[in-house]
Amino acid sequence: MADNPPAVRQCFAVPVDNDFPSDEDETYSSEIESYATSLTSSVMSYKWEYGRRYHAYKEGSYKFPNDEREQDRLDTLHHMLSLVLGDRLFLAPIKDAPGIRVLDIGTGTGLWAIEFADEFPSAQEVLGNDLSPIQPPWVPPNVIFEVDDAEAEWPQRPAFDFIHSRYMCGSIENWPRLASQAYSQLKPGGWIEFQDFYLVNYSEDGSLKEGNNVNRFYELLKECLDKIKRPVTIGRDLKKIVADAGFVNVQEEVFQLPLGTWPREKRMKDIGALNMYQMLDGLEAFSAATFTNILGWSIEEVQILLAQVRKDAKDRSVHMMHDFHVVYAQKSER
């Protein structure tokens, strides 16, 4: 697996640098207040495991932390992916028309939704949903965040002009259903865009060898999440999933993401640095709960592996990378 690149990549070889009551009825009001308090408590009653904080709503459906450290990593990833797209938030041909409605699936810290609202101030609403209420309180007036599970039945609401999803690999079990629900809630002519990883590492020069612990970690993570049917290799399947859901004008772009500062070209070097930084900072987030609860490892075994991963990550002679797929498509006007 290590040195076999994906069969289709729309890119060139990367040069290596060698150097979300009525007041007349008090009983009803009390009931509503009690219910809301209970729900709020449920959402905010986070679970702690191995020193990391996990979301409470739909506990177990998302296997990674939501604590401040993980939020910082997600923000780093946001900046990295914006850089990957040439300082853009999306590739779909969205126009700044007054009154457009936008949905950001799995918004995380909400940075993408906030930046979209800043870029498109005439948008009527930019709605971001997530399992955890970790988004900032001060946001543009047209930004709304809600706690919701994107894999549950979507609530009825006015149709959207644009639906965006990014970095949901390892979190979604039924991708075709997700695409189908998105299709049903788009306006005719509206656009969808999925941005996600194909987390299989490769090198173009044979420098990634068997036994490399960084690559071993990625292979174990893939094995782990395949067991619970939440693949980290969904990127390569997105184009077919979107087309099968009935979308037209399906477009795909594939970007290479280096892991480390080995590329010669500055933008790729910056992407590689951010990618390595977020990967190393996220090692515990990726593995503490997953490797122990799914693969049956002890936390001590996980810690030993992570030490080995950190050591091998310092080897600049290994020119490792993986791919990032962006698929955007349109709901037919008819």
Side-chain angles (χ1 to χ4, degrees):
M1 177 187 296
D3 286 309
N4 294 329
V8 178
R9 300 200 314 278
Q10 300 170 348
C11 44
F12 298 97
V14 180
V16 177
D17 181 1
N18 292 317
D19 303 298
F20 161 63
S22 174
D23 291 333
E24 299 176 358
D25 190 338
E26 295 183 4
T27 301
Y28 184 62
S29 296
S30 298
E31 180 185 352
I32 293 296
E33 182 177 353
S34 175
Y35 185 67
T37 301
S38 176
L39 283 177
T40 302
S41 176
S42 174
V43 169
M44 300 298 289
S45 295
Y46 297 123
K47 175 184 177 181
W48 290 83
E49 190 172 11
Y50 303 119
R52 302 302 299 268
R53 191 187 73 184
Y54 295 80
H55 75 272
Y57 182 64
K58 296 292 183 74
E59 181 183 335
S61 57
Y62 180 73
K63 298 297 182 181
F64 309 110
N66 67 357
D67 53 26
E68 286 75 12
R69 180 177 172 184
E70 175 67 357
Q71 291 172 44
D72 288 343
R73 187 189 71 84
L74 292 175
D75 286 349
T76 298
L77 195 65
H78 167 80
H79 293 303
M80 183 192 83
L81 295 177
S82 295
L83 188 61
V84 168
L85 298 190
D87 302 314
R88 293 172 290 178
L89 294 173
F90 55 89
L91 300 183
I94 307 303
K95 298 180 180 180
D96 189 8
I100 65 172
R101 301 186 70 251
V102 179
L103 172 64
D104 184 29
I105 301 172
T107 194
T109 63
L111 263 185
W112 187 93
I114 292 168
E115 290 189 6
F116 185 97
D118 285 338
E119 187 174 335
F120 294 85
S122 65
Q124 176 184 344
E125 178 181 274
V126 181
L127 173 64
N129 63 22
D130 201 272
L131 289 171
S132 295
I134 58 173
Q135 301 78 32
W138 303 106
V139 297
N142 55 348
V143 172
I144 298 174
F145 295 121
E146 65 179 13
V147 174
D148 197 15
D149 179 6
E151 288 208 275
E153 191 70 27
W154 288 17
Q156 291 299 313
R157 50 198 169 192
F160 295 101
D161 298 271
F162 182 38
I163 295 179
H164 168 266
S165 167
R166 182 183 67 182
Y167 188 34
M168 296 293 283
C169 69
S171 302
I172 300 297
E173 181 176 357
N174 194 332
W175 281 90
R177 183 171 186 264
L178 183 69
S180 178
Q181 293 210 100
Y183 186 91
S184 69
Q185 293 212 0
L186 272 173
K187 294 178 181 178
W191 290 85
I192 189 172
E193 181 162 317
F194 285 123
Q195 304 179 8
D196 234 307
F197 292 88
Y198 181 79
L199 285 181
V200 173
N201 292 313
Y202 61 94
S203 64
E204 295 179 317
D205 58 1
S207 59
L208 177 57
K209 307 295 185 182
E210 291 296 330
N212 180 285
N213 284 297
V214 177
N215 193 56
R216 181 181 172 222
F217 179 86
Y218 276 82
E219 290 174 336
L220 286 166
L221 182 63
K222 178 183 180 299
E223 175 188 348
C224 186
L225 292 170
D226 280 349
K227 285 180 178 291
I228 60 172
K229 300 179 181 180
R230 298 177 184 273
V232 293
T233 54
I234 196 62
R236 183 185 275 188
D237 301 322
L238 291 174
K239 185 176 182 180
K240 182 178 186 304
I241 289 170
V242 165
D244 288 349
F247 288 94
V248 298
N249 299 329
V250 182
Q251 303 293 322
E252 179 181 43
E253 293 193 32
V254 185
F255 300 86
Q256 292 176 297
L257 304 184
L259 200 58
T261 57
W262 54 265
R264 181 189 310 152
E265 193 269 325
K266 185 181 184 304
R267 178 178 287 266
M268 293 296 281
K269 187 184 293 289
D270 291 347
I271 291 169
L274 290 171
N275 200 19
M276 181 66 81
Y277 175 83
Q278 69 85 20
M279 185 276 290
L280 290 173
D281 193 50
L283 287 175
E284 291 178 352
F286 303 148
S287 61
T290 52
F291 285 21
T292 55
N293 296 335
I294 300 173
L295 295 183
W297 288 35
S298 69
I299 191 62
E300 291 77 17
E301 288 173 318
V302 174
Q303 290 169 342
I304 291 171
L305 172 63
L306 298 192
Q308 296 169 339
V309 172
R310 294 185 184 102
K311 180 180 179 181
D312 282 6
K314 296 177 183 178
D315 189 348
R316 198 172 183 272
S317 70
V318 180
H319 309 137
M320 192 185 317
M321 64 183 91
H322 43 251
D323 289 346
F324 185 68
H325 293 244
V326 179
V327 174
Y328 56 98
Q330 193 175 24
K331 183 174 181 176
S332 174
E333 295 275 4
R334 296 181 180 180

